[in-house]
Amino acid sequence: MDVSVDTVIRNASLADGQRSVDVAIAAGRITALGPALPLRGAQEIDAQGDLLSAPFVDAHFHMDATLSYGLPRVNASGTLLEGIALWAELKPQLTQQALVDRALQYCDWAVARGLLAIRSHVDVCDDRLLAVEALLEVQRQVAPYLDLQLVAFPQDGVLRSPTALANLRRALDMGVDVVGGIPHFERTMADGAASVRLLCELAAERGLMVDMHCDESDDPLSRHIETLAYETQRLGLQGRVAGSHLTSMHSMDNYYVSKLLPLIREAGVAAIANPLINITLQGRHDSYPKRRGMTRVPELLAAGIEVAFGHDCVQDPWYSLGSGDMLEVAHMGLHVAQMTGQDAMRACYQAVTSNPARILGLQGYGVAVGNYADLVLLDAPDPVAAIRLRAARRLVMRRGKVLAEAPRAVSRLHIDGRPAQVDFRLQR
């Protein structure tokens, strides 16, 4: 048989439950999909029944702060407010090259973990816009192997910080992709609502998407998501807006939430939870019982609202842990939201793959004919097992080119002189 395609991946399992599937790849795209394809590739890869997935997508991250843990000092309390104060101390010391170097190192981590698309918020409250310039350069450098979408984020408040609005406009002029905001950090609730209106109008004027840090608070009266949904509908921004964090919803009474969820759905606003960080930073004023802090993920999904999970932070002033592994994010989200049913666990996998891909507007995403050959082969037979094991990424591919490889996670033991092999994967 003549070679007719670049690559054929044989005997793969797919996230939708299909088994023994072959995937043919040519010119960076998937050209055929099915059992026992009558094709031969210049490269043939045996998936051995493991899960072949579209890549992971992080809908919420802060790449300008990543890998800066301990600079200029460690967050001794581990709280959100001390993290914000630390970032303010660090900003005057930032250099563009250091920002670029740390971000590029993180992008290498991401690719090794099969994370090939990231939406990163970038602080625009530094008048020098060093972070904006740095991440635009990073975006340019990583474009061949990673989609990096940038959000102009007025971290100190677009109204509270005197030059934030002008800086945000400058950042958008420089090529930043998305309008951000932080209404709960403005001086008053009224200012918060005004900031939502102002920023949504700016996005509508420029034809851009919106992603706001919204109600990252334990205060049940922090209800800026309601205003965000209203402004989205008023301005015709449906499908282009996301509310990130939404942690105050965890503390709201059920009656109000029963009104709020339909408003969010009607407006086509997506929700982005950050399980690792929400559970770490929220509930700090509680004794016991302590609130989990993460937004109402099962209820949002049941209402027909698009929900994604983000990593948010990795080794920065707010969070000293993390490795760029979206399976770790899904694993925490599953536990915090008590989503332990089979369908619910699969929904958590979708929250770090297909759901954020739609929120970011990624084109050609997914394991389907005609889409980009952006793929991850995991050392697990299905999405639930992948989350359970935080499965090794056996292969990471972008546009049909292999970017990273790792062996299967099998331990070889010697017990009482008897060789044994321990394989933690589920029986097929």
Side-chain angles (χ1 to χ4, degrees):
M1 185 183 300
D2 292 334
V3 172
S4 55
V5 294
D6 299 329
T7 302
V8 179
I9 301 174
R10 303 282 186 191
N11 190 28
S13 298
L14 302 186
D16 63 5
Q18 294 184 68
R19 302 275 185 180
S20 301
V21 175
D22 292 353
V23 179
I25 297 164
R29 291 186 180 267
I30 297 171
T31 57
L33 194 70
L37 290 177
L39 299 167
R40 189 160 63 100
Q43 176 181 225
E44 297 250 346
I45 299 168
D46 185 0
Q48 299 175 286
D50 280 342
L51 175 63
L52 186 68
S53 171
F56 297 108
V57 179
D58 185 352
H60 187 104
F61 194 62
H62 291 266
M63 198 172 287
D64 51 353
T66 197
L67 306 186
S68 64
Y69 176 70
L71 300 174
R73 56 186 175 82
V74 169
N75 185 336
S77 67
T79 61
L80 173 64
L81 291 180
E82 185 173 356
I84 292 172
L86 269 173
W87 181 243
E89 292 175 27
L90 178 58
K91 275 195 284 190
Q93 303 175 26
L94 293 175
T95 67
Q96 187 170 332
Q97 191 57 51
L99 285 162
V100 169
D101 290 345
R102 287 195 290 265
L104 288 174
Q105 182 180 353
Y106 183 77
C107 289
D108 287 346
W109 289 16
V111 169
R113 299 288 194 179
L115 171 56
L116 299 187
I118 300 172
R119 173 180 279 183
S120 176
H121 297 252
V122 53
D123 187 4
V124 299
C125 288
D126 178 356
D127 291 343
R128 299 170 298 169
L129 293 185
L130 277 182
V132 173
E133 291 179 353
L135 289 195
L136 285 169
E137 173 59 21
V138 171
Q139 185 184 57
R140 184 190 66 77
Q141 289 192 37
V142 303
Y145 58 90
L146 185 147
D147 289 306
L148 177 57
Q149 193 175 90
L150 300 178
V151 183
F153 177 45
Q155 182 154 334
D156 300 332
V158 74
L159 298 178
R160 185 173 180 174
S161 178
T163 57
L165 180 58
N167 289 347
L168 189 146
R169 290 180 183 276
R170 286 169 55 207
L172 297 177
D173 290 341
M174 291 163 67
V176 172
D177 310 288
V178 183
V179 176
I182 186 167
H184 58 278
F185 199 65
E186 301 292 353
R187 287 188 177 87
T188 66
M189 289 289 185
D191 275 0
S195 77
V196 172
R197 182 170 61 253
L198 171 68
L199 291 165
C200 285
E201 288 175 347
L202 178 59
E205 172 190 316
R206 292 184 177 234
L208 298 175
M209 293 185 287
V210 176
D211 188 339
M212 291 198 188
H213 285 59
C214 204
D215 305 321
E216 189 182 1
S217 167
D218 291 326
D219 180 3
L221 298 180
S222 185
R223 297 178 172 182
H224 296 297
I225 180 57
E226 181 182 79
T227 305
L228 183 60
Y230 171 79
E231 294 297 337
T232 298
Q233 205 156 32
R234 179 178 74 86
L235 295 165
L237 294 172
Q238 291 93 333
R240 291 161 50 190
V241 177
S244 287
H245 293 291
L246 305 180
T247 59
S248 69
M249 197 184 298
H250 186 88
S251 301
M252 292 173 181
D253 67 81
N254 290 336
Y255 179 81
Y256 176 69
V257 173
S258 74
K259 168 199 172 186
L260 179 61
L261 294 180
L263 293 177
I264 298 172
R265 184 189 65 246
E266 290 165 14
V269 173
I272 302 172
N274 298 286
L276 294 170
I277 310 306
N278 295 153
I279 196 172
T280 301
L281 297 181
Q282 303 311 129
R284 290 291 183 131
H285 292 279
D286 296 349
S287 52
Y288 288 93
K290 273 186 176 289
R291 287 168 286 183
R292 289 188 178 92
M294 194 171 79
T295 194
R296 301 189 185 205
V297 172
E299 291 82 2
L300 286 160
L301 288 169
I305 295 162
E306 192 88 85
V307 178
F309 292 159
H311 206 312
D312 199 4
C313 305
V314 170
Q315 294 189 19
D316 65 13
W318 295 273
Y319 189 61
S320 60
L321 306 175
S323 63
D325 189 350
M326 295 307 293
L327 285 176
E328 183 178 352
V329 175
H331 187 266
M332 179 60 78
L334 181 159
H335 284 83
V336 178
Q338 298 179 328
M339 294 175 66
T340 50
Q342 290 295 307
D343 288 344
M345 289 190 283
R346 285 189 285 268
C348 287
Y349 190 84
Q350 292 166 0
V352 294
T353 51
S354 55
N355 294 1
R358 284 191 292 272
I359 292 170
L360 269 63
L362 298 182
Q363 300 298 309
Y365 176 93
V367 185
V369 173
N371 284 347
Y372 289 121
D374 298 348
L375 301 165
V376 181
L377 181 62
L378 294 128
D379 184 17
D382 56 58
V384 173
I387 295 173
R388 178 175 72 87
L389 299 168
R390 267 80 87 217
R393 268 68 0 154
R394 289 181 53 196
L395 177 146
V396 179
M397 180 178 283
R398 164 87 167 186
R399 305 300 195 261
K401 177 183 177 182
V402 175
L403 300 180
E405 294 181 273
R408 277 181 155 183
V410 176
S411 296
R412 302 187 185 280
L413 307 180
H414 297 277
I415 301 172
D416 297 329
R418 172 177 53 85
Q421 181 169 291
V422 179
D423 187 343
F424 293 97
R425 291 167 297 160
L426 288 172
Q427 293 299 112
R428 303 194 194 288

